[in-house]
Each structure stands twice: as C-alpha cells, then as structure tokens.
Amino acid sequence: MKISIKKTLLAVAVSSTALLTSAPSFAELSANVSVTNNYIWRGLTQTTNEAAVQGGIDYAHESGFYAGTWASNVNYGADDVYSYEHDLYFGFSGESGDFTYDVGYLYYNYDSVAEFDFGEIYGTVGYGAFSVSLYLLANTEADEGEGQDFGFGQASYVSLDYAMPVASGAELGLHVGYHQGDFAEAFNGVPDGYADWAVSIAKDGFSFAITGTDLDDSGADAYDNDSVKFVVAYGMDFEL
C-alpha cells in the first residue's frame, strides 16, 4: 500500500509507513504512477519477487484533510486467487514547528473471491527527520480460524523511520518495523510476529532500497522473505 500524499518513492517500494508533508496552501488533486522490480510491504514481497506497476489519485485540502486511492498488481503464488490490491484512505495531517502528525483510516481491497479485505486506523508523529507510526487492525471480512482473534486492535504494525538529505539532492531513508497479531500471521502466512528493516536512497523519482526481516530460514520458496532483498523503483507525480 502507498499513501500517495507522501512524496518519496521509498514508500512505494518498501513500506506503508506514512512520511508526512505539510498541507498545501490550496485544495490539490494529483495522480501518481510507478514501477518497481518488487512490491515490498512491511518487509514481505507482495508479488513473489516479481515486478509491479502501481498508481493512484489523491486529494489534499489546505485544512490538512486528504483522501485517495491506490492500486497495484499482487501475486502470492501460482495457485493463489489474489491478482490486485486496491486501497482507499482518508486522514488529516499537519505540523507545528518541527512536529508533524497524521491520523487516518486505510482500507485494503483484494479480489472478491479472496474474502480477505481489511481496514486499519493509523497515526504518525514526527519530529524533524524522525517519525514513529502505529497501524491497528480495525475491521476485516476474513473469517477467524480456531483460536484466532481478528477483533479491533488485535493486530498491529509499529515503525520508526528517519529521512535525511544527502549529497546532490538525494534522500537517505532508514526504517525498522514490527508486525504482530493473529490477523497479521494469517494474512502474511508467517507463524509469529516479525521485524523488518530497510535502508534506501532516493532522488528525482528513482529509488534503491535494501530490505530484510528477522524471519527464520524456512527453505526455498517463491517468497524468500527470510533473505535480504534489493528493490529498484521509479515513480512520477502529476497535478490534475
């Protein structure tokens, strides 16, 4: 998923973490499109390590309110019913001095036959180059298995991010996160909570990232989520 009010391509290729920007001085409608060699979400491939084409449309108001939609192809295996991810989101962001904030709701929509759509509420607080984010499961159409709890707040993702300018107008990004809960385990196909990390460099729409997780080696498979991955992406934004 990508909240396209964020302007760094790292967020497209690597994680869903909200990187905050100040609200524009007027209402703005914009679109974005990107390509990446691997769609990584919270450290895990969403395309079995294949390429993805992604894009969305965003509305931002000077009050800090924003809303948008975003889509990407996904692939979790040859026999899987998933083919796309379509996100809808809205929220409110702003700043006061060096402090920034962002709160909102995000809905993940997949192929209807999958019956695994879900929504999250999120919040991010930033100070200077640092930000911390929390995503909580709000609702899902997925059925609980025996001993599972898919209730409100029973799955979460927390992340810490740092972004800083470097030479020639490039931006360096550092990220660590942790995903846990019964729903996270069911959706991701992992047995326990796990941590993910990323280091990226972005400039002029191009980005390169190195990502990984602390998942144990489970042998060769199509996901290879226990290995370090290298992500290359390019994206563009357009005013509408």
Side-chain angles (χ1 to χ4, degrees), residues 115-215:
E115 297 183 339
F116 233 99
D117 291 4
F118 66 99
E120 294 179 320
I121 58 171
Y122 59 85
T124 297
V125 177
Y127 180 76
F130 289 94
S131 65
V132 59
S133 301
L134 175 65
Y135 291 77
L136 293 175
L137 178 67
N139 59 283
T140 179
E141 67 174 351
D143 294 327
E144 297 173 345
E146 184 177 355
Q148 293 180 324
D149 187 350
F150 291 174
F152 181 87
Q154 294 302 308
S156 64
Y157 182 72
V158 61
S159 68
L160 178 65
D161 294 87
Y162 178 79
M164 64 173 291
V166 291
S168 302
E171 181 178 82
L172 174 69
L174 305 175
H175 162 84
V176 292
Y178 187 77
H179 203 190
Q180 65 85 36
D182 290 344
F183 181 82
E185 294 175 17
F187 181 78
N188 294 322
V190 297
D192 298 298
Y194 69 94
D196 72 287
W197 58 268
V199 179
S200 70
I201 189 79
K203 181 183 179 182
D204 297 333
F206 291 95
S207 72
F208 171 75
I210 303 172
T211 79
T213 71
D214 67 347
L215 292 169

Side-chain angles (χ1 to χ4, degrees), residues 1-9 11-12 16-32 55-70 89-94 101-104 122 124 135 237:
M1 169 273 158
K2 175 212 180 236
I3 296 178
S4 354
I5 201 169
K6 302 171 295 188
K7 297 303 182 183
T8 61
L9 192 59
V12 183
S16 307
T17 302
L19 299 182
L20 297 171
T21 60
S22 59
S25 58
F26 52 87
E28 179 182 88
L29 190 65
S30 62
N32 62 86
I57 297 176
D58 292 284
Y59 170 82
H61 190 265
E62 61 181 353
S63 66
F65 173 80
Y66 64 87
T69 182
W70 182 84
Y89 48 87
F90 63 88
F92 191 88
S93 65
Y101 61 89
D102 184 10
V103 293
Y122 59 85
T124 297
Y135 291 77
D237 294 322

